[in-house]
Amino acid sequence: MDYKELVAGALANVLEGSLSKEEIYNLVEKPKNADHGDLAFPCFTLAKALRKSPVAIAQELAEKIDGADFDGVLAIGPYINFRLNRQVVASNVLEEIHEKGEAYGSSNIGQGGNVTIDMSSPNIAKPFSMGHLRSTVIGNAIANLMAKAGYNPIKINHLGDWGTQFGKLIVAYKLWGTPEEVKADPIKELLRLYVKFHEEAEIHPELEDEGRLWFKKLEDGDEEAQELWTWFKDESMKEFNRVYDMLDVKFDHNTGESFYNDKMQEVIDILKDKGLLKVNRGAHIVELDKYDLNPALIMKTNGSTLYITRDLATALYRNRTFNFVQSLYVVGSEQANHFKQLKAVLNEMGFEKSKDMHHIEFGLITLGGKKLSTRKGKIVLLEQVLKDSVALAKKQIEEKNPNLENKDEVAHQVGVGAVVFHDLKNDRRNNFDFNLEEVVQFEGETGPYVQYTYARTQSILEKAKGLKIENETYELSDDYSWSVIKLLENYPNITKLAVEKYEPSIIAKYVINLAQAFNKYYANSKILVEDQALYARLRLVEATATVIKDGLGLLGVHAPKEM
Ligand code: ARG
């Protein structure tokens, strides 16, 4: 039920054509002050046509409107305020949620269209960074949101498993590495080798040439190079998969940059055919002056390809394979220029779908106000953060609910949920400083607070099982339940908005509001009493539970029944 529509209809009946129903509809808004009413119509636009002051118009119209569908119609200043019929709304919303369950709030805007989501995409032989955590959890939430809106999300882990750095790594390993050391602690050792390479290369620049040479060998399929690279990659994947398991994130495809090694010739050919490829000191570039961008470097002097070359091939491949309606790249804002170049080159190539490619950027995580840097060893070890958070959750459970059956499972869901929720609750473009104590906060506007509210609904519903329900009406009219109902009613708009803006924080903020409104209701009413309105109150609890669980689910956070 669309209540704006109801208000617009009532207004259209008395306005006799001065404005179309659609125009009226678009003007209806929520009053800033909820005490004034649930919906309001500003009369400014009518002043000219009716040659009266908006205040006078509001007065007159408010008297004329048929109030039968409303709990009140009241002019306040230049606004006509409408109070919706609480029982009618309560019954509509709660019935709908009861019937639809977790399908409430979903739509078919996407009509099954494929949306590729390039997400996570860590670089092998390096630790899984906080930036990659952001890409993973934001990408995962966006995939869930797209599915909720009727799209078919395709989650792709575009692993950074190709490029000159692997030539350098091979050189470093051959000079200073041993199989035993790599096996013992793969990423740590590979990182050590990589850092050592850069230190040594300062003194012996010829190492850089060695590195380039070995990458060229790798590109050309040299057996030794291939073997080492595959090994480094497998070891890295083992570590990354531990993180994905903890986060409970799954991918549809793990096609990284190396997958495109044999698919770049097509790009080079199109660029050549169209006369776009210019040779500049032996390197091949595409000039992008007319986009106000630096030239894109497509091929190095020795014939090696670059990050962007692989992304060009990737775009063509994804369109051919998935015929996407949208292609999303969940990557930090620092790569904004890269994605502008990518789209510009594709546009030059005549690739029309470039307009459906979107860089879903997100802000930087800093540490003590400074940028994290793998090379300088300034890193936050994500796995450790998750483990610390889980340990803290376990401690709290031990204190508050020592008899809980599946303590470890719940501690895991709460601890990991805290980290994920913390990442998602702010607008994705915002930068934030990493602070472990803040991440593992369980009170205030946090994931565990919302999870705790869900657990509360479950315990209420459990206790209600023995009670006798007298009638099935919706006699709810107090302000506390009304706040909850209005929020529940708005959930479909919220999911829609979050999809349009690719913004999981809209959902996170919403579930916090819902949890807070519900807890106020809980604190101010007796729910488990056998009276006229018991049925309505239990439906309210149930609906809140359904929507919180679904909202958390969209964010990739579990909702344990007890904690
Ligand atoms: N591996 C890259 C990095 O860590 C991110 C890849 C993003 N995806 C893409 N198609 N370029 O910086």
Side-chain angles (χ1 to χ4, degrees):
M1 179 76 203
D2 184 351
Y3 299 100
K4 264 172 94 174
E5 179 91 29
L6 189 74
V7 166
L11 280 160
N13 284 339
V14 296
L15 271 174
E16 294 156 359
S18 327
L19 285 174
S20 74
K21 190 169 165 192
E22 202 191 329
E23 286 168 319
I24 302 174
Y25 182 91
N26 289 328
L27 286 168
V28 175
E29 56 181 51
K30 281 205 176 119
K32 307 227 158 37
N33 181 346
D35 290 341
H36 288 178
D38 303 310
L39 289 169
F41 179 78
C43 296
F44 307 102
T45 355
L46 290 168
K48 214 171 165 198
L50 302 179
R51 298 219 209 119
K52 276 182 209 154
S53 79
V55 177
I57 298 172
Q59 280 289 347
E60 267 171 42
L61 289 179
E63 274 163 34
K64 276 198 214 161
I65 286 167
D66 177 4
D69 285 336
F70 303 100
D71 276 359
V73 181
L74 184 71
I76 301 178
Y79 291 90
I80 312 173
N81 291 275
F82 296 80
R83 274 182 210 288
L84 300 175
N85 184 316
R86 293 187 175 184
Q87 282 194 33
V88 171
V89 178
S91 130
N92 287 345
V93 175
L94 300 181
E95 281 294 322
E96 187 181 347
I97 299 175
H98 179 66
E99 267 160 39
K100 291 191 176 157
E102 276 167 32
Y104 179 65
S106 47
S107 70
N108 192 19
I109 304 170
Q111 300 184 1
N114 285 341
V115 176
T116 56
I117 305 178
D118 184 307
M119 54 183 269
S120 195
S121 313
N123 301 320
I124 63 167
K126 286 200 189 162
F128 197 100
S129 74
M130 290 302 280
H132 294 114
L133 167 74
R134 298 214 73 191
S135 173
T136 309
V137 299
I138 295 171
N140 190 47
I142 290 177
N144 294 335
L145 280 165
M146 294 318 265
K148 187 96 184 160
Y151 291 94
N152 178 38
I154 298 163
K155 294 188 273 186
I156 306 173
N157 196 356
H158 189 74
L159 292 161
D161 59 0
W162 210 241
T164 329
Q165 69 267 36
F166 298 103
K168 296 179 186 174
L169 194 60
I170 292 172
V171 173
Y173 174 76
K174 284 167 72 78
L175 285 173
W176 312 297
T178 66
E180 295 73 31
E181 278 167 309
V182 174
K183 270 182 205 135
D185 195 347
I187 297 220
K188 200 167 163 217
E189 174 62 5
L190 293 175
L191 183 65
R192 185 189 72 84
L193 291 170
Y194 187 69
V195 172
K196 187 169 168 76
F197 181 93
H198 283 276
E199 284 164 6
E200 296 282 329
E202 302 248 323
I203 319 161
H204 309 286
E206 62 284 5
L207 278 172
E208 297 278 354
D209 295 328
E210 272 293 284
R212 275 191 282 273
L213 181 76
W214 273 95
F215 179 53
K216 189 77 183 84
K217 284 190 176 190
L218 185 60
E219 280 191 303
D220 295 341
D222 175 273
E223 208 172 305
E224 186 186 2
Q226 284 276 341
E227 215 167 274
L228 285 171
W229 170 82
T230 309
W231 179 41
F232 298 156
K233 179 168 165 164
D234 290 347
E235 292 296 338
S236 304
M237 276 322 288
K238 277 188 210 156
E239 295 218 13
F240 296 163
N241 284 333
R242 284 210 303 274
V243 173
Y244 296 138
D245 282 347
M246 275 200 191
L247 295 171
D248 196 14
V249 169
K250 292 173 190 70
F251 299 93
D252 299 300
H253 297 279
N254 278 298
T255 37
E257 292 183 39
S258 62
F259 180 74
Y260 300 95
N261 184 35
D262 61 357
K263 299 176 182 62
M264 282 178 283
Q265 195 52 46
E266 181 190 7
V267 174
I268 307 284
D269 290 345
I270 299 175
L271 289 173
K272 275 191 184 148
D273 279 355
K274 302 219 166 198
L276 293 163
L277 217 50
K278 302 262 150 62
V279 182
N280 185 319
R281 282 187 264 144
H284 290 68
I285 62 164
V286 174
E287 277 168 356
L288 297 171
D289 290 345
K290 67 172 173 189
Y291 296 86
D292 222 359
L293 293 167
N294 293 330
L297 179 55
I298 305 291
M299 207 159 57
K300 291 189 188 169
T301 326
N302 71 353
S304 274
T305 57
L306 290 104
Y307 183 48
I308 194 165
T309 326
R310 295 185 281 281
D311 259 332
L312 288 164
T314 306
L316 302 188
Y317 176 86
R318 286 189 187 156
N319 186 44
R320 192 171 296 142
T321 314
F322 305 113
N323 188 22
F324 59 74
V325 294
Q326 287 181 46
S327 173
L328 311 181
Y329 294 82
V330 186
V331 186
S333 304
E334 70 276 9
Q335 291 194 27
N337 192 60
H338 166 76
F339 286 101
K340 281 188 193 143
Q341 287 188 319
L342 176 64
K343 285 181 72 165
V345 176
L346 287 166
N347 195 43
E348 287 298 289
M349 288 164 67
F351 182 70
E352 278 175 25
K353 287 276 192 82
S354 65
K355 68 172 186 338
D356 303 312
M357 289 168 44
H358 305 290
H359 176 204
I360 310 299
E361 21 183 321
F362 54 82
L364 217 60
I365 299 186
T366 51
L367 189 62
K370 298 219 176 64
K371 240 181 113 166
L372 299 162
S373 153
T374 325
R375 262 195 230 167
K376 297 194 186 113
K378 212 173 162 50
I379 48 177
V380 178
L381 290 177
L382 175 66
E383 214 178 330
Q384 198 52 48
V385 172
L386 291 170
K387 281 183 182 155
D388 289 351
S389 185
V390 170
L392 204 80
K394 179 90 183 276
K395 204 174 130 223
Q396 300 223 347
I397 293 169
E398 295 286 8
E399 280 164 20
K400 290 186 179 154
N401 195 356
N403 298 325
L404 184 67
E405 259 176 41
N406 48 348
K407 265 186 222 164
D408 284 315
E409 191 190 343
V410 175
H412 181 92
Q413 295 181 340
V414 174
V416 173
V419 178
V420 173
F421 196 92
H422 179 267
D423 195 309
L424 293 177
K425 80 173 179 184
N426 296 308
D427 294 6
R428 62 178 156 80
R429 287 186 182 81
N430 288 358
N431 296 342
F432 67 84
D433 204 57
F434 182 81
N435 174 335
L436 185 65
E437 267 146 54
E438 197 185 296
V439 174
V440 298
Q441 266 290 329
F442 292 172
E443 263 131 60
E445 302 185 345
T446 64
Y449 169 77
V450 180
Q451 288 173 319
Y452 183 74
T453 309
Y454 176 77
R456 169 172 279 164
T457 63
Q458 298 310 291
S459 109
I460 299 171
L461 293 173
E462 192 56 41
K463 285 186 198 137
K465 278 187 178 150
L467 296 182
K468 203 169 114 253
I469 288 182
E470 289 189 12
N471 60 24
E472 303 198 349
T473 57
Y474 285 89
E475 288 173 46
L476 279 179
S477 55
D478 67 283
D479 289 348
Y480 295 110
S481 63
W482 183 236
S483 312
V484 178
I485 288 163
K486 275 199 291 187
L487 280 164
L488 292 172
E489 197 264 327
N490 201 29
Y491 187 56
N493 294 326
I494 290 289
T495 54
K496 216 172 119 203
L497 195 68
V499 169
E500 273 166 23
K501 297 202 179 314
Y502 308 107
E503 188 55 89
S505 69
I506 292 176
I507 302 290
K509 289 182 178 129
Y510 170 86
V511 290
I512 289 176
N513 287 339
L514 179 59
Q516 287 172 340
F518 178 78
N519 286 324
K520 269 195 200 134
Y521 169 69
Y522 174 80
N524 289 286
S525 26
K526 291 200 163 60
I527 297 178
L528 297 173
V529 187
E530 288 177 335
D531 67 8
Q532 288 288 317
L534 176 62
Y535 178 77
R537 288 194 301 269
L538 292 179
R539 277 279 187 273
L540 179 77
V541 177
E542 177 201 70
T544 305
T546 303
V547 173
I548 288 186
K549 183 166 185 216
D550 189 59
L552 285 178
L554 289 175
L555 300 176
V557 174
H558 289 278
K561 274 184 173 309
E562 202 186 329
M563 62 187 264

